[in-house]
Amino acid sequence: MNRFLVIIIAFVIFSCSEKPKPKSKQDILSSIEVGVTNTSIVILGTAQDAGSPQIGCKKECCIELFEDATIERRVISLGLIDTENPKTYMFDATPDIGKQMKMLTTIETKNDKELVDGIFLTHAHIGHYTGLM
């Protein structure tokens, strides 16, 4: 009986604890390693190419994004930093291309270019080339 009571009390305590707040944009940017020394792949976004939150979505993951407009998620994209030849490349040109390109060129510190050296389009879904419009 005592074990059961302890387990119930533990569940109550942990269920009442606050959820950790998502990191702010400034926290995320300050945690990015600037000045990579080896050829690297950089994740520039993780959201589905229709954006986030999804239209009409009622799941917890999207509800929080609808309620808190300060949470920012970028559409899936990768960056490639070639440190041997000081060049940068992006995979896919999403609607978030401006922020993603700035992030990539900030991380690459061997030159001061604001534009990447090339963009690879992985396939012809509209969310993968919208940033070129």
Side-chain angles (χ1 to χ4, degrees), residues 4-5 11 18 62 78 80 83 93 99 114 124 128 132-133:
F4 183 69
L5 186 58
F11 278 123
E18 288 186 36
C62 287
L78 293 176
L80 171 65
T83 55
K99 293 175 184 176
E114 291 291 319
H128 295 260
L132 297 177
M133 296 193 307

Side-chain angles (χ1 to χ4, degrees), residues 6 75 83 95 107:
V6 169
V75 175
T83 55
I107 295 169

Side-chain angles (χ1 to χ4, degrees), residues 40-52:
S40 303
I41 295 286
V42 180
I43 299 171
L44 301 171
T46 58
Q48 197 268 345
D49 63 353
S52 176

Side-chain angles (χ1 to χ4, degrees), residues 7-28:
I7 291 172
I8 289 177
I9 291 172
F11 278 123
V12 169
I13 290 171
F14 288 113
S15 67
C16 293
S17 63
E18 288 186 36
K19 276 181 146 181
K21 288 214 173 216
K23 288 185 176 183
S24 71
K25 185 166 101 174
Q26 189 61 33
D27 292 339
I28 293 169

Side-chain angles (χ1 to χ4, degrees), residues 52-124:
S52 176
Q54 292 284 303
I55 296 170
C57 180
K58 294 182 180 181
K59 294 181 182 177
E60 185 177 331
C61 56
C62 287
I63 289 173
E64 290 177 6
L65 296 172
F66 280 122
E67 291 174 355
D68 186 354
T70 64
I71 299 172
E72 186 174 340
R73 293 180 61 199
R74 294 188 181 109
V75 175
I76 185 76
S77 181
L78 293 176
L80 171 65
I81 299 174
D82 178 358
T83 55
E84 197 172 306
N85 301 301
K87 294 194 181 287
T88 54
Y89 301 94
M90 288 181 69
F91 290 85
D92 293 324
T94 75
D96 297 324
I97 192 169
K99 293 175 184 176
Q100 291 170 328
M101 193 175 298
K102 183 68 173 179
M103 179 191 281
L104 185 60
T105 58
T106 300
I107 295 169
E108 199 287 314
T109 58
K110 290 195 177 186
N111 62 55
D112 59 353
K113 294 186 292 186
E114 291 291 319
L115 300 175
V116 296
D117 295 289
I119 299 172
F120 296 95
L121 300 179
T122 59
H123 59 285

